């Protein structure tokens, strides 16, 4: 009796379904593959429907891959696609016997009566192919994760890079009929007309710059470039203060070079008009302490989100940017600076190719999130070798490491201070002491031109010239003493900026601020 019960239990175990979760065949749809190939050979217009969805490697069956490759070659050569031409093409390529000869080609064409469902069937094949790619990707990452010699941080970068590359290759290419786009454009024009200042984007706080750009536009990639000591970081921080502290527009600042404390010190110097050296050593005068107490409140609760992750990859940036937009409603992103980013996890033959991928990814991210991205960039040393006022003026060809930056950017802006090169007057006779030229060298949506701003180096601050004039008049009227010689109230005036940055961390080479 006991033996009979044991036999019953053994039989029951044999009859239980086996869990094949990790033992089944890879995702495939062989009948659908044959149906698609057959439809392509009976309808001359069918290839145009599937050409952006299917590639030879999309097919699971190797001989189906060869048949599709032959069909693709014929279609791209604008030759007829049918049983005879495909057979002939395979024969010339030496693949006819390998696919099963003419009988297999005849079998494919006889499986379908029309190509009515070819788009639906093609999507099934594409989905199966993507599933196989994901399985292969996961298998490689799993194997490396079990390897104790693998660096987990590097593996994370590689996984993110490979997954990004996979998603880019399989991104659906779609089109839109023009009517809804026109409606959207008309609404934008109406909104702009209702806005008295004419701004359709995020205001920079600099009047003449906003007149040309109409504000930083959604989905735009803006490159702000300059040589070291020109003040591009100061310009970005001045705008960040205007945008987030004054206009209360949520902003994210990714600082790959300076820590968040250094960045905030510069913001305090900017907002409170206290020299950077005094912020560092704490030697403030009584009036400066008062100014700090009153003006620092403008920065408190400002919607500025700072990330100072060093060596940030473009894939990490994408993840963080999406979360910032989703959770905090961020409307603009600033990056300081582009050349310090990397694209770990992807293989490149040169640094130029990597920078090209980074700039292309930033443009894609701006479009995806529908917000402007402002990325700071270095210039090469070509500027230093040129002479004269025009020679020192930056050019698009000076962008460092990659021409793709210029190509991907919707706008390229140079921060240029002729005074740094001991040039004190422009071609129009304007005084350039304490002035900075904001040069709009490329503007895909509008005009180019120059904007003059006041640069107050001791406060790492850029101002509208008209605001500076009003401030000077106000200060002059408030003075109890008189200006005598080069002194004000018996004290020396602030030193003229010579490119020295009190916040700069000492290093072996020039810092790209």
């Amino acid at each position: 009796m006991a033996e009979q019960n044991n036999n019953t239990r053994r039989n029951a175990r044999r009859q239980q379904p086996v869990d094949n979760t990790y033992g089944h065949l890879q995702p495939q749809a062989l009948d659908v593959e044959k149906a698609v190939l057959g439809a392509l050979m009976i309808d001359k217009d069918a290839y145009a429907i599937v050409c952006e969805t299917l590639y030879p490697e999309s097919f699971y069956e190797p001989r189906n891959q060869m048949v599709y490759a032959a069909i693709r070659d014929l279609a791209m050569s604008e030759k007829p696609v049918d049983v005879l031409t495909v057979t002939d093409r395979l024969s010339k390529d030496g693949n006819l016997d390998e696919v099963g000869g003419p009988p297999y080609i005849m079998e494919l064409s006889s499986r379908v009566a029309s190509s009515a469902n070819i788009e639906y069937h093609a999507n099934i094949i594409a989905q199966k192919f993507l599933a196989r790619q994901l399985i292969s990707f996961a298998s490689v990452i799993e194997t490396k994760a079990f390897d104790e010699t693998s660096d987990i941080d590097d593996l994370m970068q590689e996984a993110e890079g490979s997954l990004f590359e996979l998603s880019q290759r399989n991104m659906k290419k779609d089109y839109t009929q023009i009517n809804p786009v026109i409606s959207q454009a008309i609404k934008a024009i109406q909104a702009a007309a209702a806005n008295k200042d004419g701004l359709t984007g995020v205001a920079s706080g600099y009047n003449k710059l906003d007149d040309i750009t109409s504000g930083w536009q959604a989905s735009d990639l803006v490159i702000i470039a300059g040589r070291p000591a020109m003040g591009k970081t100061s310009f970005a921080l001045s705008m960040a203060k205007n945008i987030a502290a004054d206009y209360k527009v949520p902003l994210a600042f990714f600082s790959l070079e300076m820590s968040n404390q250094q960045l905030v010190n510069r913001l305090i110097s900017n907002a409170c008009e206290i020299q950077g050296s005094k912020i560092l050593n704490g030697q403030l005068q009584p009036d400066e302490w008062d100014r700090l107490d009153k003006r620092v409140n403008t920065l408190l609760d400002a919607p500025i989100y700072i990330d100072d992750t060093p060596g940030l990859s473009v894939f990490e940036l994408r993840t963080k940017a999406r979360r910032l937009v989703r959770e905090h409603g961020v409307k603009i992103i600033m990056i300081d600076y582009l050349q310090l980013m990397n694209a770990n996890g992807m293989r490149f033959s040169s640094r130029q190719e990597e920078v090209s991928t980074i700039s292309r990814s930033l443009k894609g991210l701006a479009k995806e999130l529908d917000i402007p991205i402002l990325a700071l960039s270095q210039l090469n040393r070509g500027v230093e070798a040129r002479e004269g006022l025009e020679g020192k003026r930056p050019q698009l060809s000076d962008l460092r490491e990659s021409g793709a930056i210029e190509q991907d950017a919707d706008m390229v802006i140079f921060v240029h201070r002729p005074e740094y090169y001991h040039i004190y007057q422009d071609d129009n006779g304007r005084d350039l002491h304490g002035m900075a030229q904001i040069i709009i060298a490329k503007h895909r949506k509008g005009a180019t031109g120059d904007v003059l701003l006041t640069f107050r180096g001791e406060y790492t601050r850029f101002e509208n010239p008209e605001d500076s004039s009003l401030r000077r008049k106000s200060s002059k009227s408030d003075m109890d003493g008189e200006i005598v010689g080069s002194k004000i109230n018996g004290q020396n005036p602030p030193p003229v900026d010579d490119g020295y940055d009190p916040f700069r961390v000492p290093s072996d080479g020039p810092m790209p601020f």
Side-chain angles (χ1 to χ4, degrees):
M1 185 69 178
E3 184 177 353
Q4 183 179 358
N5 289 336
N6 289 335
N7 290 334
T8 303
R9 284 194 292 269
R10 281 196 293 271
N11 291 334
R13 282 197 295 270
R14 290 193 193 102
Q15 292 171 3
Q16 286 177 353
V18 178
D19 184 4
N20 290 323
T21 303
Y22 296 99
H24 54 58
L25 293 173
Q26 286 199 346
Q28 55 184 279
L30 297 182
D31 288 340
V32 177
E33 289 183 8
K34 292 179 179 179
V36 167
L37 293 174
L40 288 169
M41 286 188 285
I42 65 171
D43 186 347
K44 62 183 179 65
D45 297 321
Y47 179 75
I49 298 173
V50 303
C51 63
E52 292 187 351
T53 305
L54 297 181
Y55 308 94
E57 59 269 24
S58 302
F59 292 80
Y60 180 76
E61 175 67 48
R63 58 180 177 173
N64 291 343
Q65 293 180 6
M66 289 184 278
V67 173
Y68 184 79
I71 292 172
R72 183 185 64 175
D73 292 344
L74 289 168
M76 292 180 68
S77 302
E78 298 184 354
K79 295 179 180 178
V81 177
D82 55 39
V83 173
L84 295 178
T85 57
V86 172
T87 302
D88 182 63
R89 183 72 184 193
L90 286 167
S91 178
K92 288 180 179 179
D93 292 341
N95 295 327
L96 184 59
D97 291 338
E98 195 169 347
V99 302
Y104 184 68
I105 308 303
M106 292 295 295
E107 178 193 343
L108 292 175
S109 64
S110 65
R111 295 182 70 90
V112 292
S114 75
S115 62
N117 298 320
I118 191 169
E119 186 173 9
Y120 178 76
H121 291 156
N123 285 330
I124 293 175
I125 296 173
Q127 290 295 310
K128 298 293 184 184
F129 174 55
L130 180 57
R132 294 196 300 272
Q133 287 181 301
L134 287 172
I135 290 170
S136 176
F137 161 77
S139 176
V140 170
I141 297 301
E142 181 184 30
T143 301
K144 291 185 177 181
F146 276 111
D147 184 354
E148 294 186 359
T149 63
S150 297
D151 184 278
I152 295 301
D153 291 333
D154 290 344
L155 184 58
M156 286 285 290
Q157 293 277 354
E158 180 183 345
E160 198 165 10
S162 299
L163 192 58
F164 171 75
E165 193 173 9
L166 183 61
S167 66
Q168 290 295 102
R169 284 203 307 267
N170 292 278
M171 187 176 291
K172 185 180 179 181
K173 301 175 180 66
D174 210 349
Y175 56 83
T176 304
Q177 200 274 335
I178 195 171
N179 288 4
V181 184
I182 290 177
S183 299
Q184 187 177 355
I186 295 297
K187 289 179 181 178
I189 294 171
Q190 291 171 342
N195 199 345
K196 293 182 180 179
D197 55 17
L199 293 179
T200 56
V202 178
S204 70
Y206 300 114
N207 304 330
K208 292 183 179 178
L209 181 60
D210 288 336
D211 287 343
I212 296 176
T213 64
S214 296
W216 306 121
Q217 301 296 312
S219 81
D220 274 6
L221 173 61
V222 180
I223 300 296
I224 300 174
R227 287 293 294 155
M230 289 297 104
K232 57 184 180 292
T233 302
S234 299
F235 179 56
L237 283 174
S238 294
M239 281 195 297
K241 182 260 179 187
N242 295 341
I243 293 168
D246 297 344
Y247 304 144
K248 305 301 180 186
V249 176
L251 174 147
F253 199 107
F254 289 88
S255 176
L256 282 77
E257 185 172 50
M258 289 186 290
S259 69
N260 54 16
Q261 184 65 64
Q262 288 175 301
L263 215 61
V264 169
N265 281 347
R266 295 180 67 141
L267 278 171
I268 292 173
S269 175
N270 183 305
C272 302
E273 297 186 56
I274 299 173
Q275 291 184 29
S277 57
K278 292 188 176 183
I279 296 289
L280 289 177
N281 61 34
Q283 302 303 307
L284 278 64
Q285 298 298 319
D287 64 309
E288 291 171 331
W289 281 113
D290 290 341
R291 205 156 57 239
L292 176 65
D293 290 340
K294 292 175 182 176
R295 297 191 187 180
V296 78
N297 290 328
T298 62
L299 297 177
L300 291 174
D301 297 325
I304 300 177
Y305 303 93
I306 300 172
D307 187 302
D308 61 355
T309 304
L312 185 72
S313 77
V314 70
F315 314 114
E316 290 177 303
L317 173 72
R318 291 173 69 91
T319 302
K320 293 182 177 185
R322 287 171 180 148
R323 188 170 70 248
L324 284 163
V325 169
R326 183 177 65 252
E327 296 179 1
H328 300 288
V330 162
K331 300 297 183 186
I332 184 169
I333 289 173
M334 293 184 177
I335 302 167
D336 183 17
Y337 58 94
L338 189 148
Q339 279 82 6
L340 287 179
M341 297 188 71
N342 62 66
N344 285 353
M346 299 177 69
R347 294 185 178 88
F348 303 98
S349 59
S350 66
R351 173 60 179 166
Q352 285 77 11
E353 187 179 337
E354 184 174 19
V355 171
S356 298
T357 298
I358 292 168
S359 67
R360 188 166 58 250
S361 298
L362 291 179
K363 174 57 185 174
L365 183 61
K367 288 180 66 177
E368 176 192 334
L369 300 179
D370 198 31
I371 62 174
I373 292 180
L374 278 57
L376 276 59
S377 176
Q378 285 187 330
L379 296 179
N380 60 39
R381 298 182 182 275
V383 176
E384 311 298 335
R386 301 194 295 262
E387 298 294 333
L389 177 63
E390 284 303 311
K392 296 301 183 186
R393 183 183 174 90
Q395 303 170 8
L396 289 171
S397 58
D398 294 325
L399 283 168
R400 184 173 172 182
E401 288 187 321
S402 177
I405 298 176
E406 173 192 347
Q407 182 178 340
D408 295 328
D410 296 281
M411 191 182 303
V412 177
I413 291 176
F414 296 122
V415 180
H416 179 52
R417 294 195 298 116
E419 182 183 27
Y420 181 82
Y421 298 106
H422 307 292
I423 299 171
Y424 303 110
Q425 196 175 61
D426 66 9
D427 290 339
N428 298 320
R430 291 179 296 186
D431 184 15
L432 297 177
H433 284 89
M435 304 299 288
Q437 291 178 329
I438 307 301
I439 303 168
I440 304 174
K442 176 186 177 181
H443 189 189
R444 191 169 281 161
K445 298 178 181 177
T448 57
D450 295 3
V451 174
L452 271 181
L453 297 179
T454 303
F455 176 64
R456 304 179 67 194
E458 68 273 26
Y459 305 138
T460 62
R461 176 184 173 106
F462 283 74
E463 297 176 346
N464 288 304
E466 56 270 26
D467 295 340
S468 300
S469 299
L470 288 172
R471 179 183 50 77
R472 284 195 296 269
K473 289 179 181 178
S474 175
S475 299
K476 185 176 180 181
S477 65
D478 290 342
M479 279 193 286
D480 296 326
E482 295 181 354
I483 300 177
V484 181
S486 62
K487 294 188 176 184
I488 301 175
N489 289 334
Q491 295 192 14
N492 291 321
V496 176
D497 177 70
D498 59 357
Y500 169 72
D501 184 348
F503 290 111
R504 186 176 301 171
V505 178
S507 69
D508 295 335
M511 297 296 284
F513 281 8

